[in-house]
Amino acid sequence: MLGTPPGRRRLCDRRRECAALDRLIATVHEGRSGVLVLRGEAGIGKTALLDYGVQAAGGCRIARVVCAESEMELSFAGVHQLCAQMLHRLDRLPGPQRDALASAFGLTVGAAPDRFLVGLAVLSLLADVSEERPLLCVVEDAQWLDQESAQVLAIAARRLYAESVAMLLAIREPCAAPAFEGLPELRVEGLPERYARELLDSVIPGGLDARVRDRIVAETQGNPLALLELPRGLEPAELAVGLGLPGMPAVPHRIEESFARRVEQLPAATRLLLLAAAVEATGEAQLLWRAAAQLGVGLDAAAPAQADGLLELGARVAFRHPLVRSAVYGAASPDQRRTVHGALADAIDPGVDAERRAWHRAHAAPGPDEGVADELERAAHRAQGRGSLAAAATLLERAVALTPDPARRAERVLTSAHAHLEAGSAASASGLLDAVDLGLLDELGRARHERMRARIAFVTGRGRDAPPLLLSAARRLEPLDVRLARETYLEALDAAMFAGSLASGCGVLEVAEAARAAPPAPEPPQASDLLLDGLAALHTEGYAAGVPTLKRALRAFLDGSDLRWLHPAARTAWELCDEEPWFTLATRAVELARGTGALTALPLALTQLAGATALTGDLAATAAMIEEATSITTATGSPPLRHAEVFLAAWRGHEVEHSALVEEMVEDAEARGEGLAIAIIEYSTAILHNGLGKHGAALAAAQRACVGGQTLHWALPELVEAAARTGRPELARPALQQLSELARCSGTELALGMRACSLALVAEGADAGDLFREALDRLGRTRATPHLARAHLLHGEWLRGEGRRLDAREQLRTAHEMLVSMGVTAFADRAARELIAAGERAPRARVETHSRLTAQEAQIARLATEGLSNQEIGARLFLSPRTVEYHLHKVFTKLGIGSRTELGNSLPAVGANGAPGERGRP
């Protein structure tokens, strides 16, 4: 609610908390953003502190929402209340954000928006409001926000920076609110004994016996609301013995019971009106009066509750404290609740808020009712259309409970479980599947049930348990639904590749053999069909059989826009050393995820593009993508994706950082049975140790990355180099055979260049020189700048060994300059040592001006050089335009420039879509 705060209230001994709130308000008045989460038990004083914050925020606009438990299942309900009086500004937002927010709030009908895009829209809306004057957003009982609102507000809170926006949230413990974990927080404790005594004395007329006072203070543990409310209504005899009785509940429950006793003294009509206000948490007064009319309750029924200080009536309806709402609802009988829900359903216009009406009708139903279940199902489809997957899943789950026909109920269970899985709640999906009577499903329904079980295993574990379950489901689906069966085979193969050497029950080979024997794809085959056939052939018959089909699959993906399979397609391009499809598909995955605001897909897409970008040597851009992916997973509570991060540490030669990442990743991967992650860790370790000159350790790591059916082809050159440098060329021969076959079948300049460089390491005389020159020629036509620089380094080392010191210096100097410019520190130091050994002075490290920029500053600067406006950059990076402007100002200061036009000459060249361009081959 936007408005002016009332007069300031005095708080007992809350100096620490008030000082924190004063600092928060001062921050927004200085033009910066701030976030603070208050945590504490019910009645501990969080509401009073929120009121203090509002009172202290002189000159600020206030947007406040009080959440209610009954609203948790209604999608975007909380954020809609927070932004309700700002919606006239929607036209000022960029088109995709405006459309996403309008769709989420049900203002328009359109494509389902993702929560991250809605979060960006909310961020932009708050930033726009704060342009006029600072804005304070207050959220009370945030633990009861609906899932979508919680994630949207958490996203906005983590992206606020240079806006005059403060976000103040209160969370009741011990409730969980995972979306807000990690934000700045302040724990609110009970009052010290002295102040607790003073507060108690202020509400007990005539004073108390000292022993009774001590007992009450001790038992309430300084909880201010308990001190104020519990003594009210107690008889003198009860006060004389204090509050402690055998079996007494905890303080919050006793406070609620105190409110319940006060409610019991009110007239029946007043209690019914209070129950309607407790059930309908929007606080909309007109809706409450329409429902009251349905119940036969007049306007005068509110007066006793107002007189007792339990309820405030104005433009909106508000309870004195959230525990009053809980007490009212808890004291009502099931019949009374159903009556009130029914009245509210009748009072809501279905054309305005069909979801809320369906929800109230569901709670009003005394038993199974197909009409209500059908309305819930329709409301769920509308919720899905607005991107409210969690709300849709909950509505469908309620429809299950109200479906009278057992067979229809079983079908709805599958639909609800699928919705829960898509919403990211695998536990809820699994619980629903447990309740299905399989005897009520047809054969296709039972196969779908099995597939969903397998998908849950993959989503939750992404390791050893999923492949056999998915394989079994795929086989069962074959005679029932060929298309679905083939998709499941591809999922099974993907899962087996993730499990790798840690797979249990079945591995990549068994899944690939089963996929080869599966029914062919319907004509014409889709890109995913070609991907499945190519991968199955590759793993059963080798490169020659699989690569041609995989190249057709990659071309089909390049011509399409199917986000679902872009990740395995891009990973396939990586495995084939086919850099152009790899870059293009990884970039497209990021663009599609950003364009649709795909909350779960974007971090994975960014991580994959970060890996591709690291191949070019643009480690600053790589770090920026990692930082963005991490901010998203932090905001959404998803597990962090560290694959690109461990590679970045390896290329930079940061041994301590790499070791810490490896320790964390290995423990996690082994627990899940994710062999692919282990192989990636070993590959990065081989890079790190080859750079550091610890070739024995590099050899061991590369060998571990190339064992069994989980060989990482990118680790093969690391193995060859380490084997050659440790004087054990015989260990390189199997790796050279695999690398040669891959290069022959793939035919890319990158694969052929790495093959030539690896062969040169074990060749002798003129053959070695010819192979090094071939490697430099081929790699010079690729984006793989670090590998080109390493080829120069290896060539220079060979030339020095051959006694050709002048020629060696030229190659080593080139390698050193390239490696230093990229920040590939360990290899640069190795090149420097070789230069000294070749008779040249120790080269002076060149510090690039742009290296002083943070990862985010570098990314913003690059996008600015592409001509993007601050608003466009903000939309790309999920930042407000003001934050972009703030970072650009810092960029200009660090680079010593005054405008965007000077950026191009101050940064490395960049290509389309932010991908690094040609760096000028030496």
Side-chain angles (χ1 to χ4, degrees):
M1 178 171 60
L2 299 177
T4 304
R8 182 170 299 205
R9 292 172 52 186
R10 178 181 175 275
L11 296 174
C12 289
D13 190 51
R14 292 298 189 191
R15 292 185 296 272
R16 179 179 68 95
E17 293 85 350
C18 291
L21 294 173
D22 289 340
R23 288 194 296 271
L24 180 71
I25 301 304
T27 297
V28 296
H29 279 300
E30 293 167 1
R32 293 178 290 116
S33 298
V35 179
L36 185 62
V37 178
L38 303 179
R39 291 184 179 271
E41 69 175 13
I44 204 68
K46 301 185 299 299
T47 300
L49 287 169
L50 295 181
D51 290 341
Y52 174 87
V54 170
Q55 295 157 10
C60 293
R61 299 175 71 106
I62 310 297
R64 186 166 187 171
V65 59
V66 179
C67 307
E69 194 170 7
S70 59
E71 296 282 282
M72 290 184 71
E73 312 303 342
L74 296 172
S75 57
F76 297 111
V79 74
H80 184 268
Q81 287 190 56
L82 188 72
C83 300
Q85 295 193 33
M86 308 177 197
L87 296 183
H88 63 283
R89 295 173 173 267
L90 276 182
D91 289 341
R92 298 164 63 95
L93 302 184
Q97 296 178 35
R98 179 187 63 242
D99 296 343
L101 199 57
S103 179
F105 290 166
L107 303 176
T108 61
V109 178
D114 188 273
R115 277 161 281 182
F116 206 87
L117 190 57
V118 176
L120 175 60
V122 169
L123 172 64
S124 298
L125 190 62
L126 299 180
D128 185 65
V129 170
S130 72
E131 291 285 348
E132 294 182 355
R133 57 185 168 126
L135 172 65
L136 173 63
C137 299
V138 179
V139 183
E140 186 169 357
D141 274 333
Q143 77 280 351
W144 284 338
L145 281 166
D146 58 278
Q147 180 177 315
E148 288 85 0
S149 291
Q151 288 191 335
V152 161
L153 291 180
I155 289 165
R158 287 182 168 88
R159 307 305 282 181
L160 289 167
Y161 194 82
E163 303 79 16
S164 296
V165 178
M167 202 170 280
L168 180 59
L169 306 100
I171 294 174
R172 181 189 301 183
E173 293 187 327
C175 298
F180 302 107
E181 293 290 340
L183 290 174
E185 66 177 44
L186 179 65
R187 294 198 171 272
V188 184
E189 307 289 350
L191 294 174
E193 184 175 328
R194 169 194 164 189
Y195 293 98
R197 289 170 181 272
E198 290 181 5
L199 186 60
L200 181 61
D201 288 342
S202 72
V203 295
I204 301 296
L208 279 174
D209 180 84
R211 289 170 299 177
V212 174
R213 182 193 297 110
D214 290 346
R215 186 170 186 177
I216 294 175
V217 168
E219 292 191 13
T220 57
Q221 298 176 353
N223 185 300
L225 190 61
L227 291 163
L228 290 171
E229 293 297 331
L230 294 186
R232 292 186 58 166
L234 294 179
E235 298 296 328
E238 293 176 296
L239 283 173
V241 298
L243 301 174
L245 295 174
M248 287 292 284
V251 169
H253 294 290
R254 282 189 270 174
I255 300 173
E256 192 172 319
E257 288 176 358
S258 174
F259 282 131
R261 285 195 298 269
R262 291 167 62 182
V263 171
E264 286 173 4
Q265 307 303 314
L266 299 173
T270 303
R271 295 200 303 271
L272 198 58
L273 183 67
L274 284 174
L275 181 58
V279 168
E280 180 48 57
T282 61
E284 186 182 337
Q286 292 303 314
L287 175 58
L288 178 62
W289 296 129
R290 290 198 301 271
Q294 295 283 340
L295 295 167
V297 173
L299 299 180
D300 57 343
Q306 288 179 287
D308 198 26
L310 295 173
L311 191 72
E312 297 176 6
L313 281 175
R316 306 193 71 78
V317 182
F319 285 97
R320 178 194 171 186
H321 191 277
L323 284 178
V324 179
R325 184 192 300 276
S326 302
V328 169
Y329 194 78
S333 69
D335 285 341
Q336 289 172 325
R337 294 175 187 174
R338 283 194 292 270
T339 299
V340 166
H341 277 292
L344 285 163
D346 292 339
I348 294 173
D349 183 349
V352 174
D353 199 342
E355 286 175 46
R356 193 181 298 273
R357 182 178 186 275
W359 186 247
H360 282 303
R361 283 200 68 198
H363 282 279
D369 186 320
E370 180 58 32
V372 177
D374 188 61
E375 184 175 344
L376 284 166
E377 194 169 42
R378 292 196 302 272
H381 292 320
R382 283 190 291 271
Q384 284 176 322
R386 298 193 294 108
S388 308
L389 298 179
T394 303
L395 291 166
L396 287 168
E397 187 174 352
R398 185 65 179 171
V400 169
L402 294 176
T403 303
D405 179 62
R408 183 79 179 100
R409 184 165 58 248
E411 282 292 326
R412 278 185 169 140
V413 167
L414 291 184
T415 305
S416 178
H418 177 77
H420 275 293
L421 186 58
E422 293 300 309
S425 180
S428 297
S430 182
L432 281 166
L433 294 179
D434 288 340
V436 175
D437 183 348
L438 295 179
L440 297 172
L441 296 172
D442 59 15
E443 184 59 27
L444 179 58
R446 288 191 288 273
R448 287 173 55 210
H449 181 277
E450 183 177 349
R451 178 177 185 256
M452 211 171 304
R453 283 278 191 211
R455 290 188 66 205
I456 290 171
F458 186 43
V459 167
T460 55
R462 220 172 179 86
R464 62 173 65 89
D465 297 329
L469 297 175
L470 286 164
L471 179 59
S472 175
R475 285 170 168 159
R476 189 170 188 173
L477 282 163
E478 273 191 28
L480 305 170
D481 188 327
V482 172
R483 176 66 66 193
L484 191 57
R486 288 181 62 83
E487 286 189 3
T488 311
Y489 272 120
L490 186 51
E491 289 173 334
L493 193 51
D494 198 33
M497 292 168 69
F498 266 98
S501 59
L502 298 182
S504 63
C506 67
V508 173
L509 181 59
E510 182 179 345
V511 176
E513 288 173 341
R516 289 279 279 170
E523 291 293 336
Q526 298 179 359
S528 59
D529 292 314
L530 294 171
L531 182 62
L532 173 63
D533 292 340
L535 288 173
L538 176 71
H539 289 291
T540 54
E541 299 183 37
Y543 296 114
V547 170
T549 304
L550 288 174
K551 282 186 169 291
R552 287 179 58 204
L554 293 177
R555 287 195 297 272
F557 277 108
L558 290 172
D559 294 335
S561 59
D562 186 355
L563 178 60
R564 181 180 179 188
W565 302 110
L566 277 180
H567 175 66
R571 191 178 68 233
T572 298
W574 173 63
E575 291 172 348
L576 297 182
C577 299
D578 202 344
E579 59 172 333
E580 290 307 322
W582 180 22
F583 271 93
T584 303
L585 293 174
T587 301
R588 181 176 298 169
V590 170
E591 290 173 345
L592 283 173
R594 279 189 174 133
T596 60
L599 189 65
T600 54
L602 184 55
L604 181 60
L606 280 167
T607 299
Q608 194 164 62
L609 183 57
T613 304
L615 176 71
T616 70
D618 193 343
L619 302 188
T622 301
M625 293 173 194
I626 292 170
E627 181 179 289
E628 184 180 352
T630 300
S631 71
I632 297 169
T633 55
T634 301
T636 59
S638 303
L641 297 166
R642 297 290 176 78
H643 295 175
E645 196 171 349
V646 78
F647 277 121
L648 182 64
W651 279 114
R652 284 177 165 171
H654 294 173
E655 191 170 10
V656 174
E657 178 185 343
H658 183 271
S659 297
L661 284 168
V662 165
E663 183 177 355
E664 179 183 336
M665 292 175 66
V666 166
E667 181 179 356
D668 185 44
E670 287 180 343
R672 291 196 315 270
E674 189 180 333
L676 178 60
I678 300 293
I680 286 175
I681 290 166
E682 299 293 3
Y683 168 38
S684 74
T685 302
I687 294 174
L688 173 72
H689 288 306
N690 271 331
L692 295 170
K694 300 177 180 180
H695 299 297
L699 177 60
Q703 287 177 314
R704 291 192 295 267
C706 298
V707 296
Q710 195 59 43
T711 296
L712 276 186
H713 305 128
W714 283 84
L716 295 173
E718 304 299 333
L719 194 158
V720 173
E721 179 178 338
R725 287 293 179 261
T726 55
R728 306 176 70 184
E730 71 282 358
L731 297 179
R733 292 192 186 100
L736 283 168
Q737 290 175 353
Q738 292 185 65
L739 187 56
S740 295
E741 185 183 359
L742 170 63
R744 179 178 61 81
C745 296
S746 176
T748 66
E749 293 288 355
L750 181 55
L752 291 166
M754 290 196 297
R755 169 191 173 274
C757 192
S758 295
L759 286 172
L761 287 169
V762 296
E764 296 179 357
D767 289 341
D770 291 341
L771 286 166
F772 275 125
R773 284 188 289 274
E774 179 189 348
L776 292 171
D777 180 57
R778 291 188 182 279
L779 292 173
R781 292 196 287 268
T782 72
R783 303 181 188 221
T785 312
H787 290 279
L788 174 63
R790 287 180 63 180
H792 281 291
L793 171 60
L794 293 170
H795 191 196
E797 289 175 338
W798 176 79
L799 288 168
R800 189 176 71 81
E802 293 290 302
R804 297 165 57 182
R805 298 178 68 185
L806 289 177
D807 294 334
R809 290 177 198 167
E810 180 181 352
Q811 294 294 321
L812 294 169
R813 196 179 302 118
T814 297
H816 183 262
E817 290 176 357
M818 293 177 69
L819 292 164
V820 166
S821 70
M822 292 181 286
V824 182
T825 309
F827 283 101
D829 291 344
R830 181 173 144 190
R833 290 193 299 270
E834 286 292 323
L835 269 171
I836 295 171
E840 188 163 302
R841 289 182 180 179
R844 185 171 57 187
R846 183 182 63 191
V847 179
E848 296 287 340
T849 305
H850 65 271
S851 67
R852 298 198 301 268
L853 304 180
T854 67
Q856 188 168 71
E857 289 166 357
Q859 192 174 22
I860 289 172
R862 285 186 175 84
L863 293 173
T865 63
E866 294 179 26
L868 274 67
S869 67
N870 287 358
Q871 191 174 64
E872 290 168 334
I873 295 172
R876 179 81 65 89
L877 301 181
F878 298 108
L879 300 169
S880 77
R882 183 183 286 185
T883 292
V884 173
E885 180 181 4
Y886 173 82
H887 284 300
L888 272 179
H889 178 73
K890 291 177 68 178
V891 169
F892 292 165
T893 300
K894 288 183 178 183
L895 299 183
I897 60 177
S899 69
R900 287 170 174 254
T901 57
E902 299 176 73
L903 273 174
N905 296 325
S906 304
L907 294 172
V910 293
N913 300 317
E918 295 299 317
R919 292 175 174 269
R921 307 301 185 198

